[in-house]
């Protein structure tokens, strides 16, 4: 865990000057996907701006809208408000805001052949989710979310462990200086 936080601290130092621009968000998202063994579209980086969380990664979600901090049912808003990280390994069964889930990011559907050879699309939705606030000197500056998508919880992969959540919290802390 310490080596991951150290690697992200180095990345944060490199990104600090320019802040969380598109290029830096892409780099961070790519590294997060590697560390947690998830697909690129299973990483979310949100920046706090005027009581709203705005997606900076994946960039395509930035155009969909923002998440007001007072939104009930938004895990990212809860993480920002409570300053607490959480892992939800039964996310698909919990009530949540799903407008961002509906946006096609490239990895959410896979074609499978049916019994007659016809192509059938399987929709991969968020099954498991970790969310951690990014805490800077002035308080919450953003939220980082890691999810596992699939047609079912078992198909999405392993549950997130307490160690995974601790790693995400450490990484989020080391990246705070980029969120400007």
């Amino acid at each position: 865990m310490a080596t991951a936080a150290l690697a992200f601290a180095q990345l944060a130092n490199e990104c600090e000057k320019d802040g969380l621009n598109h290029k830096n968000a892409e780099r961070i998202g790519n590294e997060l996907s590697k560390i947690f063994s998830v697909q690129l579209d299973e990483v979310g980086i949100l920046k706090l701006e005027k009581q709203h969380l705005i997606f900076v990664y994946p960039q395509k979600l930035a155009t969909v809208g923002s998440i007001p901090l007072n939104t009930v049912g938004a895990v990212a808003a809860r993480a920002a408000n409570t300053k607490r990280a959480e892992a939800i390994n039964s996310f698909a069964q919990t009530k949540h805001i799903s407008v961002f889930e509906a946006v096609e990011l490239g990895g959410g559907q896979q074609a499978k052949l049916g019994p007659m050879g016809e192509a059938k699309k399987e929709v991969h939705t968020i099954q498991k989710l970790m969310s951690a606030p990014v805490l800077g000197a002035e308080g919450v500056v953003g939220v980082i979310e890691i999810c596992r998508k699939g047609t079912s919880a078992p198909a999405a992969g392993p549950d997130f462990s307490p160690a995974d959540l601790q790693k995400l919290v450490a990484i989020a802390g080391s990246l705070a200086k980029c969120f400007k």
Side-chain angles (χ1 to χ4, degrees):
M1 179 169 62
T3 55
L6 224 59
F8 278 95
Q10 174 64 36
L11 182 55
N13 287 336
E14 294 170 14
C15 297
E16 183 176 17
K17 180 179 168 246
D18 296 325
L20 201 55
N21 61 23
H22 174 65
K23 179 182 168 195
N24 289 337
E26 288 281 335
R27 286 180 64 198
I28 293 167
N30 188 39
E31 290 304 313
L32 285 167
S33 74
K34 290 178 190 173
I35 290 287
F36 291 104
S37 300
V38 297
Q39 299 300 310
L40 291 172
D41 71 332
E42 295 175 322
V43 173
I45 303 171
L46 300 102
K47 184 176 178 181
L48 183 61
E49 292 183 8
K50 298 179 184 167
Q51 300 299 302
H52 285 77
L53 290 167
I54 315 264
F55 274 96
V56 291
Y57 182 88
Q59 187 177 18
K60 192 171 186 179
L61 292 181
T63 61
V64 175
S66 63
I67 303 170
L69 286 183
N70 63 357
T71 303
V72 177
V75 177
R78 184 168 59 232
N81 287 323
T82 64
K83 298 180 178 78
R84 294 182 58 193
E86 65 180 309
I88 307 169
N89 287 311
S90 58
F91 184 75
Q93 284 75 47
T94 62
K95 186 175 179 174
H96 63 277
I97 306 298
S98 59
V99 66
F100 294 100
E101 250 182 301
V103 177
E104 179 55 48
L105 297 173
Q109 296 183 351
Q110 292 187 355
K112 204 172 195 181
L113 293 180
M116 306 297 262
E118 74 281 8
K120 293 169 55 177
K121 285 192 176 187
E122 289 185 334
V123 178
H124 290 223
T125 57
I126 297 173
Q127 301 291 330
K128 303 166 188 210
L129 177 81
M130 287 193 301
S131 186
V134 180
L135 302 171
E138 61 282 353
V140 175
V141 293
V143 173
I144 297 176
E145 294 189 324
I146 308 294
C147 70
R148 295 194 197 285
K149 295 180 181 179
T151 54
S152 66
D159 283 355
F160 289 115
S161 68
D164 291 330
L165 191 60
Q166 286 179 332
K167 188 188 305 183
L168 181 59
V169 168
I171 290 169
S174 68
L175 290 172
K177 64 173 73 174
C178 295
F179 282 70
K180 58 178 182 174

